[in-house]
């Protein structure tokens, strides 16, 4: 009630839902693209023969794909988190600079996470149902609807491993509660740490995919 003076359902839940939408739709886009790549076998085979160890090629693919996804979703972020809160009178206490600093690691962590999971995206349709199934769970893991401190340790660990719960909690703190960067420093460090870990995992996944494709 302290940060929701109107007692409205929208001002309480919609900001968190908007962050989950960004996470889920990016995963859906990545799953569709990776599924089509697997079905059509369109990985760059010519470059694989040029770089036999494929580390450089895997890294360039991961960086290129993630930059494209983040570039498109930067426009989506301006519309979803910049324009809609003003249009529907949702909480928007955070400055644009704080939101940009928050969304940069959030978008890259989401992109790297999706590319890390691309090893399992062998169909362009099936992952959509699985991703949409976890939407409510992501909201609960964020700590917005239930205090994070009261969750069992396994759920708190899962909260730290996924970009969506961490990003949702940081966004609600900044945009609905007026927190500054020092107040969300824990979430920012977690997101940047996820960027590093999932970038390495994504490179390992694409190295394995390239080697598998070369052998066939």
């Amino acid at each position: 009630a302290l940060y929701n003076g109107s007692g409205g359902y929208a001002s309480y839940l919609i900001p968190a839902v908007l962050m989950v939408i960004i996470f889920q739709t990016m995963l859906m886009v990545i799953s569709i693209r990776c599924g089509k790549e697997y079905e059509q076998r369109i990985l760059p085979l010519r470059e694989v023969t040029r770089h036999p160890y494929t580390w450089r090629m895997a890294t360039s693919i991961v960086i290129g794909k993630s930059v494209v996804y983040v570039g498109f979703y930067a426009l989506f972020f301006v519309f979803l988190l910049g324009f809609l809160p003003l249009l529907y009178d949702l909480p928007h206490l955070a400055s644009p600079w704080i939101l940009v600093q928050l969304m940069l690691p959030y978008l890259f962590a989401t992109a790297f996470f999706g590319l890390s999971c691309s090893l399992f995206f062998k169909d362009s349709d099936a992952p959509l149902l699985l991703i949409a199934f976890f939407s409510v769970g992501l909201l609960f893991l964020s700590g917005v609807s239930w205090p994070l401190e009261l969750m069992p340790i396994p759920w708190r660990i899962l909260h730290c491993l996924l970009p969506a719960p961490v990003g949702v909690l940081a966004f609600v703190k900044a945009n609905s509660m007026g927190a500054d960067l020092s107040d969300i420093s824990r979430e920012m460090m977690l997101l940047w740490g996820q960027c590093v870990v999932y970038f390495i995992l994504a490179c390992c996944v694409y190295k394995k995919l390239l080697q598998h494709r070369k052998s066939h």
Side-chain angles (χ1 to χ4, degrees), residues 22-38:
I22 291 177
F23 176 78
Q24 285 191 306
T25 54
M26 185 184 288
L27 282 189
M28 289 179 181
V29 170
I30 294 175
S31 66
I32 291 173
R33 290 300 309 157
C34 293
K36 288 186 178 296
E37 287 177 357
Y38 184 86

Side-chain angles (χ1 to χ4, degrees), residues 119-149:
L119 187 65
F120 307 102
F121 297 153
K122 299 181 179 181
D123 185 274
S124 59
D125 298 322
L128 300 180
L129 302 176
L130 183 63
I131 293 171
F133 178 75
F134 289 106
S135 57
V136 178
L138 293 173
L139 286 175
F140 277 101
L141 281 176
S142 67
V144 174
S145 59
W146 185 261
L148 187 63
E149 293 78 11

Side-chain angles (χ1 to χ4, degrees), residues 140-205:
F140 277 101
L141 281 176
S142 67
V144 174
S145 59
W146 185 261
L148 187 63
E149 293 78 11
L150 298 181
M151 293 183 185
I153 292 179
W155 295 117
R156 293 166 66 178
I157 294 175
L158 188 59
H159 164 91
C160 297
L161 294 178
L162 298 175
V166 179
V168 167
L169 185 59
F171 179 73
V172 170
K173 284 182 178 181
N175 207 49
S176 300
M177 303 167 66
D180 56 20
L181 286 177
S182 63
D183 296 318
I184 59 173
S185 58
R186 170 189 172 276
E187 288 77 17
M188 293 289 290
M189 288 189 294
L190 283 175
L191 288 175
W192 281 116
Q194 290 174 1
C195 286
V196 175
V197 172
Y198 289 129
F199 173 75
I200 296 173
L201 286 178
C203 291
C204 293
V205 167

Side-chain angles (χ1 to χ4, degrees), residues 16 18 22 30 41 44 54 57 59 61 66-67 82 85-86 107 139 147 152 158 181 191 216:
L18 295 179
I22 291 177
I30 294 175
R41 302 184 181 276
T54 67
M57 193 62 205
T59 304
I61 290 176
S66 59
V67 168
L86 295 176
L107 292 179
L139 286 175
L158 188 59
L181 286 177
L191 288 175
H216 289 75

Side-chain angles (χ1 to χ4, degrees), residues 1-5 11 15 81-82 84-86 89-100 102 170-181 183-184:
L2 182 61
Y3 299 102
N4 187 11
S11 58
L81 302 182
L84 288 186
L86 295 176
D89 197 24
L90 299 175
H92 51 278
L93 300 179
S95 67
W97 175 238
I98 291 180
L99 292 182
V100 169
L102 170 62
F171 179 73
V172 170
K173 284 182 178 181
N175 207 49
S176 300
M177 303 167 66
D180 56 20
L181 286 177
D183 296 318
I184 59 173

